[in-house]
């Protein structure tokens, strides 16, 4: 449907600046592309387009969640100790259940449905080691209408017997899934997903690097999340200079590789991440929830590392990117205070909003398609009743754009997100 939307419009211009149109107009063609975004009333030019007046609502880009685990959603909110025992006690037994088709189907439907409810229009997602469950996840994402990059988890060592793969079979399964899903409908893509260095042989990781180069698939994994994990990795791979070097020598770094967490990167590691164009998914909720640590956002930003935000459900307890923005700012404030100003200034509201939208799109090399509201891009956007974040509702005294953004990030909930569009099509 050809449509014109009138609303308060927020869109990230760059990492520091938010473009505000009050009111602004968004023109969407029936092919799902944005034709015009601006202040001038376009109704004369775009005759015959259906007009929607959302003057009392906010329209902003759909959110991009650059790290989450579909199977773990069921135990979101249960942190238990820290990363390694949490994996043993909750993650691995839960992921085992995805050998069953019914469980995989039921869980995928709930997961993608809840992502949409939370305003996420693009997601980078881990499935389990099971080829069938990964295939089911793709089917569910397709049905839901999301933009999604999904991967079958790979692990061939240091894992429970029921989740330990044969190296060759693991690679063959991925090859099959890539052929079926990578680039499907222009919305679905494949990510080779070695869980993390501990559970992957060097042989497996090398083959993953090669397969990514041959097929153009993404790579996603975890890096430098937790001190126990880092120490164990060093013990397993003593020949390498540091954790990043293990992945580097296996050929895993590059512009289509997304490393989640990256809390404790040394200077040499940061340099390699930057040189290779490797991306970072910053997961502040999970980093605190599992007592992993606080990523030095400001320092990485000054170094020029490319970052987006990830909920890391269920290391994170919520699929809400509004919550993730809030946690990102609050974590950054804590670090500024406890570093006695060395890690200052803390993350700003526009920076958090950027990371959740255009920054995330850049992490996924999708900035030409999504992440901001601009003519020529796909119409991935949200209609939000931002007044629900305000105790005074319509009579609020605090209606400046920066105040509305602040209330949205600190008090925003899924209930406020009324409509979710991907490629101009309403998903909810
Ligand atoms: Zn994770």
């Amino acid at each position: 449907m050809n449509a014109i939307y009138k609303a308060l419009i927020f869109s990230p211009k760059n990492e520091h600046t938010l473009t505000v149109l009050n009111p602004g107009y968004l023109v969407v063609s029936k092919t799902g592309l944005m034709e015009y975004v601006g202040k001038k009333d376009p109704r004369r030019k775009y005759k015959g387009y259906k007009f929607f007046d959302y003057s009392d609502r906010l329209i902003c880009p759909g959110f991009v969640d650059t790290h989450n685990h579909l199977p773990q959603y069921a135990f979101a909110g249960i942190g238990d100790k820290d990363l390694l025992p949490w994996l043993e006690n909750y993650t691995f037994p839960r992921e085992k259940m995805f050998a069953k088709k019914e469980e995989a189907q039921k869980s995928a439907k709930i997961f993608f449905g809840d992502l949409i409810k939370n305003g996420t229009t693009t997601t980078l997602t881990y499935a389990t080691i099971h080829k069938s469950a990964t295939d089911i996840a793709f089917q569910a994402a397709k049905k839901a209408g999301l933009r999604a990059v999904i991967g079958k988890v790979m692990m061939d060592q240091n894992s429970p017997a029921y989740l330990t793969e044969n190296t060759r079979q693991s690679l063959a399964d991925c090859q099959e899934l890539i052929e079926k899903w990578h680039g499907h409908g222009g919305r679905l893509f494949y990510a080779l997903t070695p869980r993390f260095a501990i559970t992957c042989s060097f042989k497996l990781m090398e083959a993953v690097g090669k397969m990514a180069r041959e097929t153009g698939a993404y790579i996603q994994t975890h890096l430098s999340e937790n001190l126990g994990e880092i120490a164990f990795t060093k013990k397993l791979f003593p020949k390498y200079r540091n954790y990043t070097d293990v992945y580097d020598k296996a050929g895993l770094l590059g512009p289509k590789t997304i490393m989640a967490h990256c809390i404790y990167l040394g200077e040499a590691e940061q340099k390699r991440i930057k040189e290779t164009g490797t991306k970072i998914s910053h997961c502040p909720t999970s980093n605190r929830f599992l007592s992993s640590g606080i990523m030095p956002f400001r320092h990485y930003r000054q170094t020029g590392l490319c970052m987006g935000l990830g909920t890391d459900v269920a290391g994170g307890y919520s699929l809400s990117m509004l919550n993730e923005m809030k946690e990102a700012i609050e974590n950054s404030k804590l670090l500024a205070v406890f570093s006695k100003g060395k890690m200052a200034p803390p993350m700003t509201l526009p920076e958090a909003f950027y990371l959740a939208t255009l920054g995330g799109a850049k992490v996924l090399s999708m900035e030409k398609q999504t992440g901001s509201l601009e003519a020529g891009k796909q119409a991935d956007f949200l209609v939000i009743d931002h007044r629900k974040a305000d105790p005074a509702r319509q009579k609020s005294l605090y209606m400046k754009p920066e105040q509305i953004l602040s209330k949205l990030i600190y008090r925003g909930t899924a209930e406020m997100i009324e409509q979710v569009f991907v490629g101009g099509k309403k998903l909810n």
Side-chain angles (χ1 to χ4, degrees):
M1 175 181 55
N2 290 321
I4 298 172
Y5 302 89
K6 179 184 182 186
L8 165 65
I9 292 179
F10 285 175
S11 179
K13 188 172 177 191
N14 54 46
E15 53 194 79
H16 303 294
T17 320
L18 182 72
T19 300
V20 177
L21 305 172
N22 193 12
Y25 297 86
L26 177 66
V27 179
V28 179
S29 77
K30 58 178 175 231
T31 60
L33 288 177
M34 289 181 273
E35 293 185 275
Y36 170 82
V37 185
K39 277 186 173 173
K40 209 172 146 220
D41 191 335
R43 277 176 282 182
R44 276 171 166 234
K45 188 172 170 197
Y46 296 91
K47 288 212 168 67
Y49 282 50
K50 193 156 185 210
F51 179 65
F52 296 90
D53 189 351
Y54 296 135
S55 295
D56 51 1
R57 301 286 197 273
L58 168 70
I59 284 183
C60 73
F63 302 133
V64 182
D65 185 349
T66 59
H67 184 63
N68 55 54
H69 298 256
L70 184 161
Q72 298 176 14
Y73 189 36
F75 59 87
I78 304 175
D80 206 15
K81 302 180 180 103
D82 66 7
L83 180 68
L84 299 179
W86 176 83
L87 286 171
E88 296 279 336
N89 296 336
Y90 285 97
T91 303
F92 295 153
R94 170 65 183 147
E95 293 194 4
K96 183 186 176 191
M97 295 177 194
F98 280 65
K100 287 209 175 93
K101 199 176 158 192
E102 302 72 42
E103 187 60 42
Q105 280 170 333
K106 194 176 75 183
S107 301
K109 192 173 174 225
I110 293 171
F111 181 76
F112 291 115
D114 282 7
L115 275 176
I116 292 168
K117 279 184 199 157
N118 280 285
T120 295
T121 50
T122 302
T123 179
L124 175 60
T125 296
Y126 284 55
T128 58
I129 63 160
H130 311 97
K131 184 176 77 177
S132 62
T134 309
D135 188 64
I136 286 167
F138 271 108
Q139 287 170 28
K142 181 182 175 179
K143 202 169 172 205
L146 282 158
R147 228 172 272 291
V149 186
I150 303 171
K152 185 192 87 64
V153 169
M154 306 170 88
M155 42 208 290
D156 67 345
Q157 65 172 26
N158 296 318
S159 311
Y162 58 81
L163 286 184
T164 304
E165 297 180 287
N166 168 283
T167 310
R168 204 179 288 175
Q169 188 60 49
S170 176
L171 291 159
D173 288 351
C174 291
Q175 186 71 43
E176 221 180 285
L177 288 163
I178 289 171
E179 280 161 25
K180 183 166 178 191
W181 291 109
H182 188 58
H184 187 95
R187 289 218 189 135
L188 300 174
F189 299 90
Y190 195 82
L192 286 149
T193 308
R195 172 165 235 125
F196 61 165
I198 291 173
T199 61
C200 298
S201 66
F202 198 77
K203 197 174 142 201
L204 177 73
M205 290 191 281
E206 271 185 320
V208 163
K210 187 165 171 274
M211 196 179 281
R213 287 189 293 279
E214 284 169 2
T215 60
Y218 291 86
I219 296 173
Q220 60 175 344
T221 188
H222 298 87
L223 170 62
S224 202
E225 175 176 359
N226 162 288
L227 294 174
E229 168 218 11
I230 296 169
F232 192 18
T233 306
K234 274 193 181 148
K235 216 166 114 190
L236 283 173
F237 300 94
K239 281 197 307 189
Y240 302 93
R241 285 188 301 158
N242 50 54
Y243 196 164
T244 302
D245 196 39
V246 177
Y247 291 143
D248 194 8
K249 294 295 187 313
L252 296 187
L253 304 187
K256 286 185 83 176
T257 296
I258 299 95
M259 295 286 178
H261 303 287
C262 298
I263 299 174
Y264 297 102
L265 299 181
E267 295 299 324
E269 293 180 281
Q270 292 169 40
K271 196 165 162 250
R272 264 319 267 163
I273 295 282
K274 191 180 172 189
E275 275 169 2
T276 54
T278 303
K279 310 298 187 354
I280 292 177
S281 174
H282 175 29
C283 308
T285 305
S286 166
N287 292 349
R288 214 160 61 168
F289 191 56
L290 293 182
S291 307
S292 298
I294 299 184
M295 193 198 81
F297 164 76
R298 182 59 62 205
H299 181 65
Y300 288 179
R301 179 57 93 206
Q302 283 158 353
T303 310
L305 303 185
C306 180
M307 294 174 275
L309 289 182
T311 60
D312 191 25
V313 154
Y317 50 79
S318 167
L319 279 181
S320 166
M321 288 296 286
L322 293 170
N323 174 70
E324 209 56 45
M325 289 182 238
K326 174 184 75 185
E327 287 276 354
I329 298 171
E330 295 305 291
N331 277 6
S332 173
K333 283 182 191 165
L334 281 180
L335 205 55
V337 171
F338 288 110
S339 70
K340 299 199 164 60
K342 266 194 274 173
M343 293 291 181
M347 187 186 291
T348 63
L349 294 162
E351 277 178 326
F353 190 74
Y354 169 85
L355 290 177
T357 52
L358 191 54
K362 280 193 178 159
V363 161
L364 296 178
S365 309
M366 291 185 190
E367 69 272 23
K368 289 201 173 80
Q369 289 82 45
T370 192
S372 60
L373 303 178
E374 290 172 71
K377 283 192 174 189
Q378 295 280 330
D380 295 357
F381 66 97
L382 314 174
V383 179
I384 300 177
D385 186 356
H386 61 85
R387 298 166 306 174
K388 284 186 182 157
D390 196 316
R393 304 285 189 273
Q394 286 94 330
K395 288 174 189 156
S396 178
L397 299 169
Y398 309 99
M399 293 297 278
K400 287 183 186 157
E402 61 271 24
Q403 294 169 335
I404 291 173
L405 179 64
S406 189
K407 281 187 177 285
L408 181 69
I409 290 177
Y410 281 94
R411 293 172 55 80
T413 61
E415 288 68 43
M416 291 163 49
I417 300 171
E418 293 181 332
Q419 300 184 56
V420 179
F421 292 83
V422 169
K425 194 177 157 220
K426 191 166 170 286
L427 303 189
N428 60 334

